[in-house]
Amino acid sequence: MEPPIESVLVATDGSEPAERAARHGIALAATTDADLHTLAVVDEAASRVARTALADADTDDVLTQAGEEAVSSIADLAAEYPAAPAVTTAVRTGTPHQEISEYADEHGVDVVVTGTEGRSGLDRVLLGSVAENVLRTSTRPVLVVPPGAGDPDADQTPYDELLLPTDGSDGAAKATRWAVGLADHYGAPLHALFAADATPYPTTVRSQQLLDALNTAGNDAIETVRQRGDAAGVDVVGAVGAGAPAPTILEYCEDEPIDLVVMGSHGRSGLDRFLLGSVTEHVVREGDVPVFCVPMREGEE
C-alpha cells in the first residue's frame, strides 16, 4: 500500500485496554505484511516512588518482570493471528512517551498503536496521559484504540468502512494520503466528511451568505478527496454536516458503519481554527471507533 506500512509498534502495559489496542496493531501488521514490535516502558518516576514508598530494592525487578510479561502476552496474541507477523519485544525504563518515540525512531516504525486508558496508581506505566503525550509529540501516525472499540475481524479486511474528516487544510491533505492508501489496500469505501461550523461567528453574521461559503468550502474539500480516491480506484462518499467538528464526526460514526477514522493531527475548523488537536482529542476520548491520527510533521522529520 501507499504510503507503505512495513513496521508497526504496539505500546503496552499489560492492561486490558492495551491488549485491545494490540489486537488492532496485530491486525494492521498482519494485513499489511509488516513487522510487529511491542514495547513496555517502566515509568522511571513511578519506579522511584515505589522504591521510596515500599522501601524495596527489588521493585525495579518486579516492574521489569511485569513489562516482560506484558510484551510476551502480545507476542502470544500475534502468534494466534492468521498470517502472524514477525514479532520483536522490548522493555525499557524511562519516561514512557519519550521511550516510545525513541524506539520508533531507532527501528524506523511506520505506525505506533496505543490504547487510551491504562493502569492506575503505581502500576500505571503507559497509557492514559502517556497516550495523549504520544499523540501530541509523534512525528509518525498513531492508531489510537478507545475502550469501546470492538476487535478487528481476523481476516484480510479488518476495516471495511473508513471515515476521513476533512477541512481542506494541510493537515487534512496528509491524512487524505493515508486514508486513500488504507481504503485502497482494504478495498473499503472512504467517507469524506466536512463540518460546516458557523458557531465561531456571532449570530448576527451567520447569514445565508456565510453558510453558503461554508458549504462551498466543504464541497471543495470533499472534491479534493474524491479526486485522490478516483486516482487510486477508491470509492469516496462525501457529506457536509452542519455543526461543530467533533460532535459532527462522532454522530457520523454512530449513523454509519465506520470501522476506522483517519484524521490529521492539526488542521482548521470552520475557516481558521485548528481542526485536530482539540477536535481529535475529543473524538479519541468520546468515540468508540479506532482513530488513525496523522501528524502535520509526518514525513517531514
Side-chain angles (χ1 to χ4, degrees):
M1 62 168 287
E2 179 60 36
I5 297 178
E6 298 176 347
S7 182
V8 174
L9 170 61
V10 171
T12 182
D13 63 359
S15 64
E16 183 178 342
E19 181 176 316
R20 182 182 301 110
R23 293 184 184 279
H24 283 264
I26 293 167
L28 182 65
T31 56
T32 57
D33 295 323
D35 293 333
L36 180 70
H37 296 254
T38 179
L39 171 68
V41 180
V42 177
D43 191 321
E44 194 169 40
S47 180
R48 285 197 302 269
V49 171
R51 286 198 302 272
T52 301
L54 302 177
D56 187 350
D58 294 331
T59 298
D60 287 348
D61 292 339
V62 171
L63 293 176
T64 298
Q65 182 179 352
E68 291 172 348
E69 291 174 355
V71 296
S72 178
S73 175
I74 302 307
D76 290 343
L77 281 177
E80 299 172 0
Y81 202 89
V87 181
T88 300
T89 63
V91 177
R92 293 188 172 187
T93 299
T95 302
H97 77 275
Q98 292 177 354
E99 293 296 329
I100 292 168
S101 178
E102 289 177 8
Y103 186 96
D105 288 341
E106 292 168 11
H107 294 83
V109 168
D110 297 304
V111 180
V112 176
V113 182
T114 181
T116 58
E117 296 179 353
R119 298 185 174 187
S120 60
L122 297 180
D123 287 338
R124 183 182 62 79
V125 296
L126 177 60
L127 304 175
S129 62
V130 176
E132 182 176 332
N133 282 329
V134 170
L135 276 172
R136 291 185 183 280
T137 61
S138 179
T139 58
R140 66 201 73 238
V142 180
L143 174 59
V144 186
V145 182
D151 288 341
D153 293 335
D155 57 23
Q156 293 302 305
T157 55
Y159 304 116
D160 296 319
E161 301 270 347
L162 278 65
L163 170 63
L164 171 71
T166 182
D167 61 1
S169 66
D170 290 342
K174 289 182 178 295
T176 298
R177 181 167 171 255
W178 279 96
V180 169
L182 287 164
D184 179 38
H185 181 74
Y186 290 121
L190 177 62
H191 299 248
L193 175 65
F194 180 93
D197 182 17
T199 56
Y201 307 97
T203 303
T204 54
V205 300
R206 291 182 195 171
S207 63
Q208 186 60 49
Q209 185 177 5
L210 171 60
L211 296 177
D212 288 345
L214 289 171
N215 280 310
T216 297
N219 288 322
D220 288 346
I222 290 170
E223 180 59 26
T224 297
V225 176
R226 183 172 284 113
Q227 290 175 5
R228 291 292 298 267
D230 287 346
V234 171
D235 182 22
V236 175
V237 179
V240 176
T248 299
I249 294 166
L250 293 172
E251 182 178 355
Y252 195 93
C253 288
E254 291 178 357
D255 293 342
E256 301 292 336
I258 302 301
D259 300 305
L260 182 69
V261 178
V262 182
M263 303 177 74
S265 62
H266 297 85
R268 61 176 184 270
S269 173
L271 296 180
D272 58 9
R273 290 184 301 159
F274 279 148
L275 168 63
L276 305 174
S278 62
V279 175
T280 300
E281 183 176 339
H282 190 105
V283 171
V284 166
R285 289 183 183 277
E286 301 297 329
D288 292 327
V289 177
V291 183
F292 191 96
C293 303
V294 182
M296 278 289 290
R297 289 169 291 177
E298 184 265 329
E300 297 176 359
E301 53 199 82

